[in-house]
Every structure is written in C-alpha cells, then in structure tokens.
C-alpha cells in the first residue's frame, strides 16, 4: 500500500525451437511485460508464415462471426443483460504448437466457410432484390399520378423520354426555354404533386443534347423508370406479389443462417479467440532478437512472480535456457512499468487513479488516500440518505452480476458502494431523506445540520476539509521528495505550504479567541518566507519572480476556495429535492370530480423527479469529487507520469489453453 508493486528486470536467452511454446507460456501466465531489445549483434525477430496466417484468419473469422451473430439465438440483452451478463462457457484446447493450430483451423474452415458464405450471398442477393422492388414501387406510386402505360415512358429509336420532378416556380421558365430552344419540337405531360411538378418529356434524340443542359440548369430531378409493363397500379400489384415471394424465400434462407449459427457460431468465436491471441504473440515478436540458433527477450515482472515464472521457463525449455533477474537501478526508474498494489477493499479505486495516471516507481501511490477522500467528498456533495440507498442498491446489483467477470463495471460499482455509504451517513447527519420530504409530511427528523439553513456553517466545514486535504497532499509530497534525496525541494516546495496551512489554522483559532495570534503569525510567516525563497530560486528575471510569487500564492488560495464546491453541490442536491417536493405538494390535492388525480400525478412526479435528481446530482458529485483530486490534491505532490504495467497476457473469454510444461 502507498508503494507500487516491486518489479525486477528479467532477461531470457534460449533456443529457437522453444520460442513458440515459451511465448505461449508467458502469454498464458500474463505477468511479464516484454520490452524491445536494443542489440546490434543480432537481428530483430519477425513472424513466420504460420503467425501471418493467424493474423489473416483472425480477420476472416471475425467477418463470419459478424454475419452469424445476426442470427444467433438466445443472446440476453437489455437492462437485465447489462446487470446480470451471461458468463460464456469456456472450451479447453490442448496446445500443440502454432502449426498444428493453423492446420486444425484450416480443416474447420474448409467445411464451415463455404456453407456460411453461400447463405450470406443468398441473403445479400435477396435483400438487394427487395430493395430494388421497394424502390420501383415507390417510383411507380409517383408515376400513378399520370396514369400512363409504362411502355410509353421508355425511349424509342427516335425519341428520348425524360421523367422527373421540377420545382413549382421553375416549371414555367423551364418549359418556355425548352420550347424556344427546341423550336416547339417537344411534348410533355405534367402533374402537380407534393409541391412540385411531375413531368414526362418526349424529346427527339437529335435534340436531346440541346435539352439536357437546360434540364440540368433548372435542377430537373430524374426518375429511373422501372422495367415493367402495363399501367403503374397494375405493375405495383405484380411487384408486391414478387416481393412476397422474395420475402418467403428470404425467410427460408435466414432459417438456414440460424441453423448455421447454432452449428458454427460458438466454434467460430472459439477459434477466433485462439487466432487473436496468436496474432498478439506475432506482434510481440518484433520486441525479440534472434540468431540462427537462439532468441532473447527482456521484460519486467513483479518480484513475487519471479520464482514461479523462472521455474516455468526452465520446464518449457527443458533447462536449455539462460535466465537472469536483477533489481532496477535508479537510472531505470522512469522506464519501470507500474503495477499498483493495494488491499482488496481499496483496489477498485485504482481505476480512478489510473484515469489520471500511475505514479513513477519512486513516487507514492495516492489510491489509499483517494479511496477515503473521494468517497467522503461524493457523500458530502450528494448528502441524502435515500439517494445513497438508491445508488447502493444499483451498485450492489451490478457487483453481484459482474463479480465473476471482474471487469470495469464491477470495479466502478465497488467505488459506488463506498460512495453511497458516505452519502447515507451524510444524509443522516444532515437529516435529508429525499430532501425535506419527511418534514413536509409532518415527520420530525433529527439533523446535526441543515445545509439550506446553515449554508455558512457548511461552507466553513467545506473549507476546513479543503485545508486538511491539501495539507495531506503537501505532506505526502514532502515524504516523497525527502525519501528521494530532494531535501531542498522538500523544504521549500512542500514544507513551506505545510507551515502556511498550519499558520492559517492557528490564525483561525486566534480569531475565535481560542489562542493568541502570535503562534499563527510566526508559523505562517516562516512558511511564507520559505515559499518566497522557493520562488526566487528560479532563473526568471527579478520582476517575473516577484509576479510568480504573488501568482502562485493566490493560486493556492484559489485551490483552497475550490473546495467550496462541496458546499455548493450539497446545497444544489437539497435545493433540487426541495423543489420537487414543493411541486408534489402543490398538485397532491388536485381532484377531477371525485377522482383524486393529484395523488396519481404527484406520485409519478415524486418518484420520477427524485430518480432524476439522484442521477443528475450523483453525476455532479462524481465529476467534482474527481476534479478536487485531479486538480487540487494531485497538484500538491503527484505527477501521474509513470508507465502502466501492461503484461503480455492472453485474453480468454471462451477458450482455455492446456499447455504441457
């Protein structure tokens, strides 16, 4: 806790014939981050033909899965599917090498792929035909306004036919210009339709080159006349019959697709996952180096995994391997991958820390502090017992549904549970149960403090909390810098602010006549002198140093005052809840004759309003609690510029690899 996982550097050198099995072993263990080797005496490794095939098959399998996925039955979706996702069953696969795996997949695809592609082609063709028929029906429905035989709308050897729409205001100018240009050698039929004119032009082919630019000039929208016979309504009837036949045919082919999905979909997903993992292994080969006989890799591994991973490597290679592990040097601190290490109840909050950035190897992990202060700030800003109960209920359901997945939703739900706990506690202290709903119902609710009536007290409390939070940050920064040998920076950059904060506290106590002013003035003065010295240590011109001193001091004041948002959001929650309750109170007694309509409407407004209030205020609390940490708190000691540990790890949702060691 407070320190990242202890890491060691590992170097492995072995024979090429063990490369595939060794990479597979490391991939399945998922505890080693492989790094690129900079070596001039050997060449960089590259994927062989089987790895290249794996990448190609992964893409091809994905395409087949996407098609059959549309016809896969029994997939749970919606809200229930999100809260309680179905766990996918895993199929075991005995790994005998990349070559054997590729041969097995090729044998499977030789049977399955032609069947799937044949059905896919039929469905695509039928859907295309249905779209064509639908478009032709839409065009014929427009042409029905003219009620001419469709054959009359087709060109002949000497006459070109143009069918389409023209804007109403452009119709007369178009006709006039065509008649003038073509010397009246044109015939047309028109019908006003949908604010435009539907027009059929008959133009001599020898005049068409003259007419075409004029039609374009007036934005004539052409219609492609369907290749049918008879009048439009007769043709529509025939097309609808054809459409019904195509739909029946499509339903039959889709039934084939559903059968294929039942038969092959899960197996395709299984093989696709195997191929995707092989592709990831292929991508990692570029970080390795090799000679004609040997290969080498370098990476970082948590120290606690070294004995197990070393023993596994030796078994895979039958002892024909060189393994060397060594502790990192100070020069390597910036490149060491960071894996956070916290107790289980704090671990979910690593999600929030990693959103900002992980610490460097010689920095402190702020997650243990963040776990408490973030939850407390969230509760302080939401401040309602029943709002907290709603959030806790939703979070508990998500935890139950996602526990086995251990995914981001599971981790975030654990964060919400702790945040909801503090919301419930603060709701009890502030006497808030859906705002002042109980008080308006005549129920006396005990409360330590009313945020609306005691706003100034809440503000003072928020600022006091802010000072404590900032002091903790500067203290952590002092510890980090002092431990890393940066004593001057620890004194001038961190201790100065710690003394200033102490001075502010003592001055506040003196103003309350609890102690004398002298201790506060001395402590504040010493802290400010150290702070001023730190600003004048820079290489900036003297006037700029003076301005930076003023700017940075008031920057601290601004950060401190930013904690007033704790009070502001607490008031916002109470205010919105109160408005909802007042509206419900106003409409509660409304009756329409003997029917108490106000009760029904009021219940809907009350429930819907407070659910909305819970959601919108919880979102505000989430964002602003994060901001107080990311901007104000982390700015006192934390860079977040470390490199997150990204182990070479297989993704196994539907497959389970059996690797002989």
């Amino acid at each position: 806790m407070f320190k990242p996982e202890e890491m060691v550097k590992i170097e492995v050198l072995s024979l090429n014939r063990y490369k595939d099995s060794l990479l597979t072993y490391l991939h399945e263990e998922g505890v080693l981050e492989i790094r690129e080797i900079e070596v001039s005496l050997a060449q960089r490794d590259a994927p062989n033909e089987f790895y290249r095939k794996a990448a190609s098959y992964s893409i091809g399998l994905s395409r087949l899965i996407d098609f059959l996925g549309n016809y896969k039955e029994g997939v749970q979706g919606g809200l229930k599917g999100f809260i309680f996702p179905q766990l996918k069953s895993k199929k075991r696969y005995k790994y005998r090498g990349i070559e054997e795996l590729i041969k097995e997949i090729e044998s499977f695809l030789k049977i399955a792929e032609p069947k799937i592609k044949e059905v896919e082609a039929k469905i695509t063709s039928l859907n295309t035909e249905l779209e064509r028929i639908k478009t032709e029906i839409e065009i014929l429905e427009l042409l029905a306004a003219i009620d001419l035989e469709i054959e009359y709308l087709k060109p002949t050897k000497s006459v070109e036919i143009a069918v389409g729409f023209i804007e109403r205001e452009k119709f007369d100018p178009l006709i006039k210009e065509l008649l003038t240009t073509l010397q009246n050698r044109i015939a047309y039929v028109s019908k006003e339709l949908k604010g435009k004119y539907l027009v059929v032009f008959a133009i001599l082919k020898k005049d068409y080159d003259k007419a075409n630019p004029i039609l374009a000039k007036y934005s004539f929208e052409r219609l492609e006349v369907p290749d049918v016979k008879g009048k439009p309504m007769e043709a529509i009837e025939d097309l609808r019959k054809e459409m019904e036949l195509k739909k029946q045919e499509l339903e039959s082919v889709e039934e084939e697709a559903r059968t294929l999905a039942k038969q092959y979909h899960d197996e395709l997903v299984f093989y696709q996952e195997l191929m995707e993992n092989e592709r990831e292994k292929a991508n990692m080969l570029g970080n390795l180096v090799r000679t004609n006989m040997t290969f080498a890799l370098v990476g970082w591994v948590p120290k606690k995994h070294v004995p197990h991973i070393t023993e596994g490597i030796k078994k895979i290679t039958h002892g024909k391997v060189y393994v060397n592990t060594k502790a990192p040097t100070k020069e390597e601190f910036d490149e060491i991958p960071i894996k956070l290490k916290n107790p289980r109840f704090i671990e979910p909050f690593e999600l929030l820390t990693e959103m900002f950035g992980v610490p460097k190897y010689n920095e402190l992990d702020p997650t243990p502090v963040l776990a408490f202060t973030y939850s407390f700030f969230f509760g302080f800003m939401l401040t309602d017992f029943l709002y907290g109960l709603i959030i806790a209920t939703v979070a508990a359901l998500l935890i139950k549904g996602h526990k086995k997945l251990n995914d981001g939703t599971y981790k975030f739900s654990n964060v919400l549970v702790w945040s909801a706990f503090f919301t419930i506690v603060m709701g009890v202290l502030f006497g808030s149960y859906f705002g002042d709903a109980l008080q308006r119902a005549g129920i006396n609710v005990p409360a330590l403090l009313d945020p609306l009536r005691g706003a100034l007290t809440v503000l003072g409390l928020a600022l006091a909390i802010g000072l404590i939070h900032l002091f903790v940050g500067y203290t952590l920064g002092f510890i980090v810098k002092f431990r890393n040998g940066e004593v001057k920076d620890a004194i001038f950059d961190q201790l100065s602010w710690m003394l200033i904060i102490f001075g502010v506290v003592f001055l506040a106590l003196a103003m309350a006549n609890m102690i004398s002013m002298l201790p506060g003035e001395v402590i504040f003065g010493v802290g400010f002198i150290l702070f001023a010295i730190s600003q004048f240590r820079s290489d900036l011109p003297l006037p700029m140093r003076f301005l930076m001193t003023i700017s940075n001091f008031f920057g601290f004041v601004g950060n401190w005052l930013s904690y007033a948002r704790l009070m502001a959001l607490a008031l916002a929650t109470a205010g919105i809840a109160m408005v909802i309750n007042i509206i419900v109170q106003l409409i509660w007694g409304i009756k329409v004759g003997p029917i108490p309509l106000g009760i029904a409407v009021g219940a809907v407004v009350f429930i819907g309003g407070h659910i909305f209030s819970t959601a919108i205020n919880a979102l505000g609390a989430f964002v602003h609690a994060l901001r107080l940490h990311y901007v104000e708190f982390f700015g006192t000691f934390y860079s977040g510029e470390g490199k997150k540990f990204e182990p070479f790890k297989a993704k196994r949702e539907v497959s389970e690899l059996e690797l002989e060691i």
Side-chain angles (χ1 to χ4, degrees):
M1 194 162 72
F2 283 110
K3 289 184 66 178
E5 190 79 60
E6 191 175 355
M7 307 293 286
V8 298
K9 196 170 190 177
I10 186 167
E11 300 168 336
V12 179
L13 176 65
S14 186
L15 300 175
N16 277 329
R17 66 172 178 266
Y18 298 119
K19 181 167 54 182
D20 178 47
S21 55
L22 180 57
L23 274 179
T24 303
Y25 168 72
L26 295 175
H27 203 213
E28 295 305 311
E29 289 297 317
V31 295
L32 172 67
E33 180 176 328
I34 299 176
R35 289 288 180 86
E36 185 177 345
I37 305 178
E38 296 294 338
V39 179
S40 58
L41 298 178
Q43 61 182 347
R44 196 156 304 285
D45 209 343
N48 60 26
E49 63 170 307
F50 294 103
Y51 281 116
R52 289 194 292 272
K53 282 184 177 181
S56 175
Y57 286 141
S58 176
I59 297 169
L61 287 165
S62 294
R63 184 177 170 278
L64 297 177
I65 291 166
D66 288 342
F67 169 68
L68 290 185
N70 297 320
Y71 303 96
K72 173 73 173 171
E73 296 177 349
V75 179
Q76 182 174 302
L79 184 60
K80 185 179 178 181
F82 172 70
I83 297 176
F84 299 106
Q86 292 180 344
L87 289 178
K88 299 175 181 177
S89 59
K90 291 188 177 183
K91 180 180 175 182
R92 293 183 67 84
Y93 179 79
K94 190 171 183 179
Y95 190 78
R96 297 180 297 275
I98 179 69
E99 296 181 29
E100 290 297 320
L101 176 57
I102 292 297
K103 288 176 182 177
E104 183 175 328
I105 286 180
E106 286 176 340
S107 298
F108 167 72
L109 287 177
K110 190 175 181 180
I111 298 170
E113 190 172 21
K115 296 179 183 178
I116 298 169
K117 287 190 171 180
E118 182 183 359
V119 171
E120 183 183 18
K122 287 180 183 178
I123 290 175
T124 302
S125 175
L126 286 168
N127 280 323
T128 302
E129 281 294 297
L130 285 169
E131 282 299 315
R132 175 190 64 78
I133 294 170
K134 183 181 176 182
T135 302
E136 289 183 353
I137 288 174
E138 289 173 354
I139 293 172
L140 289 170
E141 285 174 344
L142 295 173
L143 295 177
I146 297 177
D147 198 33
L148 289 173
E149 293 281 342
I150 300 302
E151 288 89 338
Y152 296 161
L153 305 180
K154 301 293 180 64
T156 65
K157 290 182 179 180
S158 57
V159 177
E160 191 69 46
I161 304 296
V163 183
F165 281 99
I166 185 72
E167 298 289 341
R168 182 187 297 173
E169 62 273 12
K170 295 179 181 179
F171 177 68
D172 289 335
L174 171 62
I175 298 299
K176 185 177 179 181
E177 188 167 343
L178 283 172
L179 290 171
T180 302
T181 304
L182 304 180
Q183 298 176 354
N184 294 324
R185 293 192 303 273
I186 185 171
Y188 66 90
V189 178
S190 64
K191 182 76 173 181
E192 190 172 355
L193 192 67
K194 297 182 180 180
K196 298 181 180 180
Y197 275 98
L198 175 62
V199 192
V200 179
F201 289 108
I203 306 167
L204 293 174
K205 288 210 172 185
K206 65 178 182 178
D207 293 332
Y208 188 69
D209 289 341
K210 298 177 184 177
N212 200 35
I214 299 172
L215 294 173
K217 174 183 174 183
Y218 288 92
S219 304
F220 181 68
E221 302 172 31
R222 294 176 182 270
L223 290 177
E224 186 174 345
V225 179
D227 188 16
V228 294
K229 295 181 180 180
K231 288 192 174 182
M233 295 310 297
E234 296 170 354
I236 288 172
E237 189 64 29
D238 292 338
L239 285 172
R240 283 176 178 161
K241 290 178 182 178
E242 185 183 353
M243 179 181 280
E244 284 304 313
L245 292 174
K246 294 291 183 185
K247 284 182 178 178
Q248 291 174 15
E249 190 179 347
L250 178 62
E251 179 58 36
S252 174
V253 179
E254 286 181 336
E255 185 58 38
E256 289 183 44
R258 282 188 281 272
T259 302
L260 288 174
K262 189 182 296 184
Q263 185 178 0
Y264 292 119
H265 180 271
D266 291 347
E267 202 164 359
L268 284 167
V269 171
F270 170 73
Y271 280 123
Q272 199 275 335
E273 185 169 277
L274 293 179
M275 287 296 92
E276 191 60 31
N277 281 297
E278 294 303 318
R279 184 164 74 163
E280 189 174 333
K281 285 161 58 180
N283 292 337
M284 188 54 65
L285 288 172
N287 288 350
L288 278 57
V289 295
R290 67 179 176 86
T291 64
N292 291 334
M293 296 289 292
T294 63
F295 75 96
L297 64 84
V298 170
W300 293 94
V301 62
K303 187 176 181 180
K304 64 182 181 182
H305 294 305
V306 169
H308 171 72
I309 205 76
T310 302
E311 183 183 356
I313 289 171
K314 288 178 180 178
K315 284 183 178 180
I316 284 286
T317 58
H318 303 289
K320 297 179 178 65
V321 65
Y322 165 79
V323 181
N324 179 45
T325 58
K326 55 184 180 181
T329 62
K330 286 186 177 180
E331 290 74 21
E332 293 175 317
F333 277 5
D334 286 344
E335 67 176 79
I336 299 173
I338 304 300
K339 186 178 187 297
L340 301 181
K341 179 180 68 174
N342 289 289
R344 283 190 64 182
F345 70 96
I346 291 177
E347 191 176 324
F349 289 88
E350 293 176 359
L351 182 71
L352 303 182
T353 301
E354 290 172 356
M355 283 170 61
F356 182 86
V358 295
K360 292 183 178 180
Y361 197 65
N362 59 349
E363 287 184 338
L364 291 177
D365 174 13
T367 306
V369 176
L370 180 145
F372 172 76
T373 54
Y374 173 84
S375 303
F376 174 70
F377 289 172
F378 186 100
F380 195 104
M381 287 187 272
L382 197 53
T383 317
D384 189 283
F385 178 90
L386 293 172
Y387 287 4
L389 199 60
I390 291 171
I391 293 171
T393 302
V394 173
L397 288 172
L398 289 170
I399 288 172
K400 184 178 179 181
H402 289 258
K403 185 175 182 180
K404 291 183 179 179
L405 296 177
N406 195 27
D407 55 2
T409 301
Y410 174 75
K411 294 175 183 177
F412 184 67
S413 298
N414 276 279
V415 172
L416 281 183
V417 164
W418 283 105
S419 302
F421 168 76
F422 280 95
T423 302
I424 289 170
V425 171
M426 297 304 295
V428 172
L429 295 177
F430 283 19
S432 181
Y433 302 81
F434 283 154
D436 60 352
L438 296 183
Q439 292 91 323
R440 290 183 179 276
I443 301 172
N444 185 30
V445 178
L448 187 66
L449 180 64
D450 185 336
L452 291 175
R453 292 185 176 88
L456 288 178
T457 304
V458 177
L459 175 61
L461 186 59
L463 293 177
I465 291 168
L467 270 185
I468 296 170
H469 200 222
L470 291 172
F471 181 80
V472 170
Y474 284 118
T475 303
L476 292 174
F478 179 83
I479 293 170
V480 170
K481 289 186 176 180
F482 195 85
R483 191 181 66 180
N484 292 336
E486 303 169 22
V487 179
K488 288 184 179 179
D489 290 338
I491 293 172
F492 291 118
D493 296 340
Q494 308 297 134
L495 181 62
S496 59
W497 288 113
M498 294 164 65
L499 293 173
I500 287 172
I501 291 172
F502 261 125
V504 170
V505 172
F506 278 105
L507 289 172
L509 293 174
M511 292 173 68
N513 295 318
M514 297 176 68
I515 60 172
S516 68
M517 294 289 287
L518 184 60
E521 291 173 344
V522 171
I523 294 173
F524 183 89
V526 172
F528 189 82
I529 290 170
L530 290 175
F531 161 70
I533 292 172
S534 73
Q535 301 302 304
F536 277 83
R537 290 166 68 207
S538 70
D539 297 328
L540 294 171
L542 189 61
M544 286 300 297
R545 295 182 206 177
F546 180 73
L547 290 174
M548 288 300 295
T549 302
I550 297 173
S551 174
N552 289 336
F553 181 78
F554 282 102
F556 164 78
V557 174
N559 286 342
W560 177 30
L561 293 178
S562 184
Y563 286 83
R565 70 186 64 240
L566 292 171
M567 177 270 293
L569 268 80
L571 292 181
T573 304
I576 293 172
M578 183 178 69
V579 169
I580 293 168
N581 295 334
I582 290 172
I583 292 172
V584 172
Q585 199 172 31
L586 290 173
I587 64 177
W588 193 258
I590 296 175
K591 292 184 178 181
V592 178
I595 302 172
L597 186 63
I599 295 177
V601 175
V604 172
V605 172
F606 184 81
I607 295 170
H610 281 296
I611 289 175
F612 170 77
S613 180
T614 302
I616 197 71
N617 286 302
L619 178 62
F622 169 75
V623 171
H624 288 283
L626 274 185
R627 187 201 185 281
L628 286 174
H629 286 85
Y630 288 176
V631 179
E632 280 76 24
F633 182 60
F634 284 177
T636 61
F637 75 100
Y638 186 63
S639 70
E641 294 176 354
K643 297 178 180 178
K644 185 181 175 181
F645 179 59
E646 296 178 347
F648 180 53
K649 186 176 183 179
K651 299 175 181 64
R652 300 290 177 195
E653 292 184 2
V654 297
S655 63
E656 188 176 337
L657 212 66
E658 183 181 333
L659 185 66
E660 295 182 358
I661 298 181

